[in-house]
Amino acid sequence: MWKLLKTEWLKIYRYPAFWLLLAICLITYPGINYICYNIYLDITQRQSMTGQIVSLLLGNPFSFPEVWQTSAYLSSMFVIIPALLIIMLISNEYVYRTSRQNIIDGWSRYDFLLAKAIDVALITFIVTILYAIVALVVGIVHTDSQPAVDPAIPLPDMNSTEGSGSSGSIYFEKIHYIGLFALQTFSQLSLAFLLGMLVRKAFVAMGIFLFYALIAEPLSVGLLKYKFNNDIGKYFPMEVSDRIVPPPAFMSKLDEAGYQASLDAVPMHVGLTIVLIGITWMLTT
């Protein structure tokens, strides 16, 4: 196992695209949080009744504990970046015939697949650490920076859970989203790996993956749900894992029933995601 890990790490860290895509993640993860936080401030700091009400309704999704979910959801939008890296890594095995060299060196097919699983797990770990660091920094910076509410404007008590409990406990209240984000990322990188194994040509595989992830599946899910009132799209490969990190509360605050339903469905989608991961890796054997 250690030899496989060392071999795969040597392949990854010497690959320029790895550092390029890692740099993109370093920019996009904090970038999307920064952009959304400024949009949030622009809405909530308006000196009007509407701005004050919206401020109370939204709370502060970038403070603890909400930031774990908010940042996980925003960061998950860019899981496609490490997915492209996985496709390039597996395609390179066939383009540069390193897979044949591995066989010459005595690797079995099981060793090869285990090595690729290590690649997927390693990149998942790195991406998850990046997300966790971003969420931690954003949360620390913004936990005490709630927008001021004009006391002259009477506002209803929305029974917000933010700030409840001891000051220390709120830092860890939703920390389980780190695990959910990691599971979601590993599932989608596994799908990218399977596609790379089947197609073996990087640009073709990346084109298929991008088309399916950004256009085909979202369009199909939307049409089924809103035009035909059918939510069968929740069982589609990418959608299954997407729903284990539901949109944060501030995106669904005016639809509390729908938001609660998305939270209640998380355990089911966690189970489905684990099953999907198992099927994905079985198909590679």
Side-chain angles (χ1 to χ4, degrees):
M1 171 69 81
W2 176 250
K3 183 179 179 180
L4 294 178
L5 178 59
K6 183 179 179 181
T7 301
E8 292 307 306
W9 172 244
L10 288 174
K11 290 179 183 178
I12 291 176
Y13 101 90
R14 291 177 178 175
Y15 189 39
F18 167 72
W19 297 107
L20 174 62
L21 294 178
L22 184 61
I24 294 174
C25 289
L26 285 170
I27 295 172
T28 54
Y29 282 19
I32 187 65
N33 281 271
Y34 178 78
I35 291 171
C36 290
Y37 181 70
N38 277 277
I39 293 173
Y40 158 79
L41 284 182
D42 181 61
I43 296 172
T44 57
Q45 291 186 342
R46 293 173 183 171
Q47 298 300 315
S48 65
M49 171 67 94
T50 300
Q52 296 290 310
I53 292 176
V54 170
S55 174
L56 190 61
L57 288 174
L58 296 184
N60 189 345
F62 296 91
S63 67
F64 290 112
E66 298 299 328
V67 68
W68 295 114
Q69 181 180 356
T70 302
S71 187
Y73 179 77
L74 297 175
S75 300
S76 70
M77 297 178 182
F78 298 97
V79 73
I80 199 167
I81 298 172
L84 296 180
L85 174 61
I86 290 295
I87 290 175
M88 287 190 286
L89 287 174
I90 188 60
S91 300
N92 286 346
E93 294 284 353
Y94 296 100
V95 172
Y96 299 108
R97 303 181 185 275
T98 51
S99 59
R100 290 188 180 183
Q101 184 61 46
N102 290 335
I103 294 174
I104 294 172
D105 292 340
W107 285 26
S108 65
R109 181 171 178 81
Y110 171 79
D111 291 330
F112 177 76
L113 291 176
L114 180 58
K116 296 303 110 181
I118 290 173
D119 282 350
V120 175
L122 184 60
I123 294 173
T124 297
F125 176 76
I126 293 171
V127 169
T128 302
I129 291 298
L130 287 176
Y131 143 69
I133 291 173
V134 169
L136 186 63
V137 172
V138 170
I140 290 173
V141 170
H142 298 125
T143 292
D144 296 323
S145 60
Q146 298 283 1
V149 178
D150 188 348
I153 302 178
L155 294 172
D157 182 10
M158 301 301 293
N159 297 317
S160 173
T161 59
E162 189 173 328
S164 62
S166 65
S167 59
S169 65
I170 64 170
Y171 288 89
F172 306 101
E173 189 175 320
K174 292 192 174 186
I175 202 170
H176 63 278
Y177 276 96
I178 295 178
L180 294 177
F181 178 84
L183 181 62
Q184 179 194 60
T185 302
F186 186 80
S187 175
Q188 299 193 9
L189 297 193
S190 296
L191 291 172
F193 169 74
L194 175 61
L195 182 61
M197 284 282 290
L198 294 175
V199 178
R200 299 188 179 184
K201 293 184 179 180
F203 289 107
V204 176
M206 286 190 290
I208 294 173
F209 186 83
L210 288 172
F211 174 76
Y212 181 79
L214 299 179
I215 300 176
E217 184 175 288
L219 185 61
S220 299
V221 172
L223 284 174
L224 287 169
K225 186 173 183 179
Y226 298 108
K227 192 171 182 63
F228 302 102
N229 197 28
N230 191 322
D231 199 25
I232 196 173
K234 65 184 179 182
Y235 299 114
F236 287 5
M238 302 286 284
E239 190 72 11
V240 162
S241 56
D242 276 343
R243 297 199 183 194
I244 67 176
V245 181
F250 79 95
M251 290 186 174
S252 309
K253 199 66 178 182
L254 299 180
D255 181 16
E256 293 187 11
Y259 175 65
Q260 188 59 47
S262 68
L263 292 180
D264 293 340
V266 168
M268 179 188 73
H269 282 281
V270 167
L272 290 174
T273 300
I274 294 172
V275 171
L276 178 63
I277 291 172
I279 294 173
T280 301
W281 286 96
M282 285 177 60
L283 291 174
T284 64
T285 59

